[in-house]
């Protein structure tokens, strides 16, 4: 399944747990469909090797409505046109790599991260190092000492880390539509803001990788919650608010940002949401995440702290989200002592009017930039 490709009558639908809502066990449910109304559901698929060329791929849809018998709708079969991948032959390798494509060198240098193509991952392994002894005659094998890391400038350590979110036209369009539809009661609607405005880029490459990895984990949790909240009388599960994997990736973000510079910015024009996290806040966040229980307010307070506050186009500030970020941090701070069950219940309770006002100001500022782009 090609992520994000599901539409109904050309209306884009959010993926559910990384898949199309058409492909989950419960299927896609439509309500109040009148007689004679045309419904066109579309999704895109990616065919991977080693399916032989000439293979026919048939897609079927199973339709149920009211008490009528199930009907099966078949799409016209598609014929695969493919050729075997060429082996990768490189003078630096003593062998050839089959059934794969070589990644870009600049991607490999950045270590593990998600590639531009669905399912494509680039991983760099550390170079092999010889041991000083093979352990013969009772001697212990020893690895050579690890190279000393480059010293971090004192000014960099004492300030903090800069973060960025690239709001290109496509991302901006999605963000505004997402936030306009995510007006859920209490703090629930603000969780979607945290997800939509989570930074993607830092000055240090390893911090950027950590941000991207946690952004994927956060998106999976919040998008699933988004879909669930649109169902009547939906009950929240623990995994709807946090998972062990998400907590681990957030801690990795904090660790990486503690060694990322505070000065500099991506060499691109356009619309960016820029943020700054103080080194003291990062240190405190690391302590809190290390001792807080899962499914509490602690990670959401940290995520709110990481939110950017300066919306800039071409380097010029067009909006300031500081008031909203500070109000959101305060709201999660007030829930800091609640148990997981109490925290889940508190998310539905009414919030301060000022917080809702600031949220609307953020959405309006983003919508204004979208209109300016159009």
């Amino acid at each position: 399944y090609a992520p994000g490709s599901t539409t109904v009558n050309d209306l884009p639908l959010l993926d559910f747990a990384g898949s199309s809502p058409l492909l989950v066990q419960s299927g896609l449910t439509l309500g109040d469909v009148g007689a004679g109304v045309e419904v066109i559901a579309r999704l895109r698929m990616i065919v991977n090797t080693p399916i032989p060329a000439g293979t026919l791929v048939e897609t079927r849809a199973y339709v149920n409505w009211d008490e009528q018998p199930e009907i099966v709708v078949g799409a016209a079969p598609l014929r695969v046109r493919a050729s075997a991948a060429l082996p990768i032959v490189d003078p630096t390798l003593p062998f050839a790599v089959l059934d794969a494509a070589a990644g870009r060198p600049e991607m490999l240098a950045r270590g593990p991260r998600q590639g531009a193509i669905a399912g494509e991952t680039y991983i760099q392994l550390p170079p092999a190092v010889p041991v000083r002894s093979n352990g013969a005659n009772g001697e212990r094998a020893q690895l050579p000492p690890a190279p000393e890391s480059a010293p971090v400038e004192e000014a960099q350590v004492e300030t903090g880390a800069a973060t960025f979110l690239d709001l290109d036209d496509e991302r901006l369009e999605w963000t505004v539509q997402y936030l306009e539809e995510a007006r859920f009661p209490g703090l629930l609607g603000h969780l979607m803001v945290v997800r939509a405005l989570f930074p993607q880029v830092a000055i240090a490459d390893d911090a950027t990788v950590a941000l991207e990895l946690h952004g994927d984990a956060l998106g999976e949790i919040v998008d699933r919650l988004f879909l669930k909240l649109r169902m009547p009388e939906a009950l929240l599960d623990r995994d709807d608010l946090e998972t062990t994997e998400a907590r681990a990736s957030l801690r990795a973000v904090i660790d990486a940002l503690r060694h990322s510079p505070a000065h500099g910015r991506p060499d691109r024009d356009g619309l960016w949401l820029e943020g700054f996290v103080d080194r003291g806040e990062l240190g405190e966040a690391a302590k809190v995440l290390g001792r807080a229980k899962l499914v509490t307010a602690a990670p959401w307070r940290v995520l709110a702290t990481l939110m950017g506050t300066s919306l800039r186009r071409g380097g010029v500030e067009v909006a300031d989200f500081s008031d909203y970020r500070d109000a959101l941090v305060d709201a999660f701070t007030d829930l800091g002592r609640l148990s997981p069950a109490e925290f889940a219940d508190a998310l539905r309770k009414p919030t301060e009017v000022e917080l809702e006002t600031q949220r609307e100001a953020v959405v309006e500022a983003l919508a204004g930039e979208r209109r300016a782009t159009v």
Side-chain angles (χ1 to χ4, degrees):
Y1 170 66
S5 65
T6 303
T7 63
V8 172
N9 287 12
D10 295 327
L11 174 68
L13 301 181
L14 289 173
D15 291 347
F16 181 81
S19 184
S20 168
L22 291 166
L23 301 179
V24 299
Q25 185 174 5
S26 59
L28 177 66
T29 303
L30 304 177
D32 301 325
V33 180
V37 173
E38 183 179 60
V39 178
I40 302 177
R42 290 189 175 94
L43 74 163
R44 292 194 301 114
M45 307 296 289
I46 301 171
V47 179
N48 295 321
T49 57
I51 297 180
T55 300
L56 290 178
V57 179
E58 182 180 2
T59 303
R60 295 181 180 180
Y62 298 86
V63 184
N64 294 276
W65 77 100
D66 297 335
E67 303 299 327
Q68 302 300 317
E70 179 182 84
I71 64 172
V72 180
V73 180
L78 301 178
R79 185 179 301 276
V80 176
R81 293 187 299 175
S83 58
L86 296 176
I88 302 170
V89 180
D90 191 282
T92 62
L93 295 177
F95 45 79
V97 180
L98 304 178
D99 296 328
R104 302 194 301 274
E106 64 271 19
M107 299 284 287
L108 296 173
R110 292 174 61 179
R113 58 159 289 170
Q114 189 68 25
I117 302 176
E120 181 180 3
T121 304
Y122 300 92
I123 299 178
Q124 180 185 23
L125 298 178
V129 292
V131 296
R132 292 182 176 177
S133 169
N134 60 6
N137 301 322
E139 298 179 5
R140 295 184 61 186
Q142 297 180 348
L143 293 176
E148 295 183 1
S149 58
V152 181
E153 295 181 6
E154 189 67 20
Q156 167 188 322
V157 174
E158 290 300 323
T159 51
T163 61
F164 306 89
L165 173 63
D166 183 7
L167 290 166
D168 59 22
D169 292 347
E170 182 178 357
R171 174 81 187 204
L172 181 62
E173 178 69 26
W174 172 86
T175 300
V176 173
Q177 180 179 350
Y178 183 78
L179 295 183
E180 287 178 342
E181 295 179 5
R183 289 188 170 91
F184 300 109
L187 279 171
L188 290 171
H190 297 272
L191 303 187
M192 283 66 186
V193 183
V194 172
R195 178 262 192 271
L197 301 184
F198 184 75
Q200 295 176 324
V201 179
I203 303 302
D205 287 345
D206 60 340
T208 295
V209 172
L211 287 170
E212 292 176 347
L213 291 176
H214 185 69
D216 293 340
L218 180 63
E220 182 175 348
I221 291 173
V222 178
D223 290 348
R224 181 173 62 242
L225 177 62
F226 179 95
L227 293 175
K228 198 168 187 178
L229 290 173
R230 298 174 69 141
M231 303 178 185
E233 301 180 359
L235 298 177
L236 300 185
D237 298 325
R238 293 177 61 89
D239 289 351
D240 293 331
L241 297 174
E242 190 182 15
T243 63
T244 303
E245 295 76 14
R247 174 66 66 89
S249 65
L250 180 56
R251 294 181 66 178
V253 167
I254 298 302
D255 291 341
L257 287 177
R258 294 175 73 180
H259 300 90
S260 184
H263 304 289
R265 69 183 313 276
D267 295 328
R268 275 185 53 191
D269 293 330
L271 187 67
W272 291 81
L273 181 61
E274 303 185 4
F276 171 81
V277 193
D278 183 80
R279 180 172 178 260
E281 293 178 328
L282 291 171
E284 182 61 27
K287 295 178 183 178
V288 169
L289 292 176
R291 63 174 181 262
K293 293 182 179 180
L294 287 177
V295 196
T296 55
W300 295 101
R301 184 188 185 282
V302 172
L303 289 168
T305 303
L306 298 180
M307 184 185 302
T309 57
S310 180
L311 187 66
R312 294 176 176 270
R313 182 177 290 280
V316 178
E317 185 173 84
V318 294
D320 185 354
F321 298 163
S322 298
D323 290 342
Y324 175 68
R325 193 274 306 271
D326 295 343
L328 192 56
V329 169
D330 291 342
F332 286 121
T333 301
D334 293 340
L335 305 181
R337 296 185 178 275
L338 299 184
S339 67
E342 293 170 336
F343 173 65
D345 291 339
L347 289 175
R348 296 180 181 270
K349 295 181 179 179
T351 59
E352 297 290 339
V353 175
E354 178 64 19
L355 181 61
E356 299 303 324
T357 302
Q358 292 296 336
R359 183 192 187 278
E360 291 307 308
V362 169
V363 177
E364 180 57 32
L366 295 170
E369 290 302 313
R370 180 184 63 174
R371 289 191 294 268
T373 301
V374 173

